[in-house]
């Protein structure tokens, strides 16, 4: 039995399941403050015997295993969570010997999708969430893309629409991709939540204009074999046709790509991509710890 946490900006999903992505029990807890949210998370897992835990968290987070602040949420604008030692607190409450895998929510979702979802059978994919925030995780050559830390692809700079004078909603950069196209950006620019703007064509046209630009950068730099677009905003399926239209214009046949309707798709796992990926993070952590013990090193 494996434990999984998908820590998002608005809710935590906690689940127990197996390495095949089967989920046996799950709960959802609102993301408020660590003092309120984490005790509920802990009490859920205390009722289950788990062998390892996987956490896919909103970021930025420290995933560098050699860093003294490894396992922390770092400079998030969600002030109650800034510098929160996530992995340490989970281990302290459950067991110091519990293997814990820790990565971003979007990296977890990319892992879920490449293993069991829309990118199954491929060795590369890009998972992008457009919701409260914007982020992306990539699998390249079968592995999660990362270097010094994890990518933060939601904060790239885009060319502004000439008629868009919205100041931008990113608390760090104002008018980066997230600042121009996240759910809160839509709400502030148009004065209503996206779900209530369904019939306003210009809303989704502009959304497609920005998302297509971001996809162009990702395609030119990473050349992923599949692009998966999830998150609350992407439930407005009419955005896809706007993205296809703008992307075709931008790329101008420069690179050869599959048909966009097959290449740029919704998550195959629906809203289970992140939590399924977190189960896989747990499995990897379990295997890694078993190897280390087997080696007789790094105990
Ligand atoms: Zn930003």
């Amino acid at each position: 039995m494996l434990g999984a946490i998908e820590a998002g900006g608005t809710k935590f999903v906690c689940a127990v399941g197996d390495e095949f992505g089967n989920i046996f029990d799950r709960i959802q807890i609102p993301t408020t403050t660590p003092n309120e949210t984490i005790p509920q998370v802990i009490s859920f897992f205390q009722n289950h015997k788990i062998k390892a835990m996987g956490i896919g968290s909103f970021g930025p987070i420290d995933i560098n295993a050699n860093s003294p602040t490894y396992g922390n949420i770092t400079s998030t604008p969600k002030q109650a969570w800034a510098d929160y030692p996530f992995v340490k607190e989970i281990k302290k409450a459950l067991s110091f010997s519990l293997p814990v895998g820790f990565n971003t929510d979007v990296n977890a979702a990319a892992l879920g999708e490449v293993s069991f979802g829309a990118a199954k059978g491929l060795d590369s994919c890009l998972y992008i969430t457009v919701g409260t925030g914007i982020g992306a995780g990539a699998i390249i050559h079968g592995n999660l893309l990362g270097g010094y830390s994890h990518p933060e692809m939601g904060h790239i700079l885009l060319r502004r629409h000439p008629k868009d004078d919205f100041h931008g909603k990113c608390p760090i950069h104002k008018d980066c991709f997230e600042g121009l196209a996240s759910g809160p950006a839509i709400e502030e620019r148009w004065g209503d939540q996206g779900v209530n703007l369904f019939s306003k064509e210009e809303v989704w046209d502009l959304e497609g204009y920005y998302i297509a630009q971001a996809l162009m950068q990702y395609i030119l730099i990473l050349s992923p074999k599949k692009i998966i677009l999830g998150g609350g905003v992407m439930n407005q399926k009419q955005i896809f046709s706007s993205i296809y239209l703008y992307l075709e214009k931008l790329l101008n046949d420069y690179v050869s790509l599959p048909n966009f309707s097959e290449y740029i798709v919704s998550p195959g796992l629906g809203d289970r991509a992140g939590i399924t990926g977190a189960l896989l993070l747990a499995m990897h952590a379990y295997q890694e710890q078993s190897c280390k013990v087997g080696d007789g090193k790094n105990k």
Side-chain angles (χ1 to χ4, degrees):
M1 187 86 97
L2 302 166
I5 301 171
E6 183 188 14
T10 49
K11 63 176 193 288
F12 270 54
V13 179
C14 303
V16 289
D18 64 21
E19 70 268 39
F20 305 109
N22 298 307
I23 291 169
F24 306 125
D25 192 9
R26 64 176 269 167
I27 55 160
Q28 224 168 275
I29 301 161
T31 308
T32 55
T33 63
N35 285 341
E36 277 177 13
T37 305
I38 296 297
Q40 298 176 64
V41 172
I42 300 298
S43 84
F44 172 77
F45 288 109
Q46 278 168 340
N47 293 324
H48 297 279
K49 268 201 160 330
I50 56 165
K51 286 193 166 171
M53 174 74 86
I55 303 172
S57 174
F58 64 83
I61 58 176
D62 188 346
I63 59 167
N64 175 358
N66 299 318
S67 158
T69 52
Y70 167 76
N72 289 11
I73 294 176
T74 59
S75 52
T76 172
K78 297 175 196 43
Q79 283 197 338
W81 295 90
D83 301 316
Y84 178 68
F86 204 155
V87 171
K88 210 197 245 167
E89 291 297 324
I90 293 294
K91 282 192 173 224
K92 195 163 87 184
L94 295 176
S95 159
F96 281 110
S97 61
L98 183 74
V100 177
F102 186 58
N103 220 306
T104 61
D105 47 0
V106 279
N107 271 346
L111 208 52
E113 284 293 317
V114 85
S115 306
F116 304 116
K120 191 177 168 186
L122 301 177
D123 64 355
S124 81
C125 78
L126 184 67
Y127 178 93
I128 304 157
T129 181
V130 185
T132 315
I134 297 183
I139 306 275
I140 301 292
H141 300 310
N143 292 310
L144 281 170
L145 180 71
Y148 183 73
S149 184
H150 56 83
E152 277 288 348
M153 292 186 245
H155 295 264
I156 60 170
L157 296 177
L158 303 176
R159 190 189 289 166
R160 237 175 209 282
H161 192 285
K163 288 183 184 159
D164 183 21
D165 59 2
F166 178 59
H167 57 85
K169 193 73 180 146
C170 173
I172 318 288
H173 319 106
K174 284 211 165 88
D175 62 352
C176 64
F177 180 24
E178 177 175 302
L180 291 171
S182 66
I186 293 175
E187 185 173 347
E188 196 172 316
R189 183 192 283 109
W190 301 98
D192 204 347
Q193 285 190 333
V195 282
N196 302 323
L197 298 166
F198 180 79
S199 54
K200 258 185 156 317
E201 236 170 80
E202 62 269 37
V203 175
W204 312 112
D205 179 77
L206 186 66
E207 195 63 14
Y209 176 85
Y210 287 129
I211 295 172
Q213 285 189 55
L215 295 195
M216 174 162 172
Q217 328 289 336
Y218 304 150
I219 290 167
L220 294 178
I221 295 169
L222 300 172
S223 192
K225 290 182 182 164
K226 188 78 88 177
I227 295 178
I228 299 151
L229 280 162
V233 171
M234 293 313 301
N235 288 329
Q236 303 283 340
K237 300 292 178 201
Q238 68 273 31
I239 305 173
F240 280 90
S241 48
S242 170
I243 293 170
Y244 299 157
L245 210 76
Y246 280 113
L247 188 59
E248 201 173 341
K249 269 192 220 163
L250 286 168
L251 286 169
N252 200 17
D253 282 332
Y254 185 59
V255 286
S256 74
L257 290 169
N259 192 308
F260 284 167
S261 62
E262 288 159 26
Y263 182 54
I264 301 163
V265 299
S266 295
L269 297 171
D271 61 3
R272 286 181 298 115
I275 198 70
T276 304
L279 283 172
L280 296 169
L281 291 174
M283 184 191 68
H284 294 167
Y286 179 74
Q287 288 170 337
E288 212 167 278
Q289 189 144 318
S290 308
C291 283
K292 280 180 186 169
V293 172
D295 283 351
K297 292 175 208 158
N298 303 324
K299 275 182 190 163

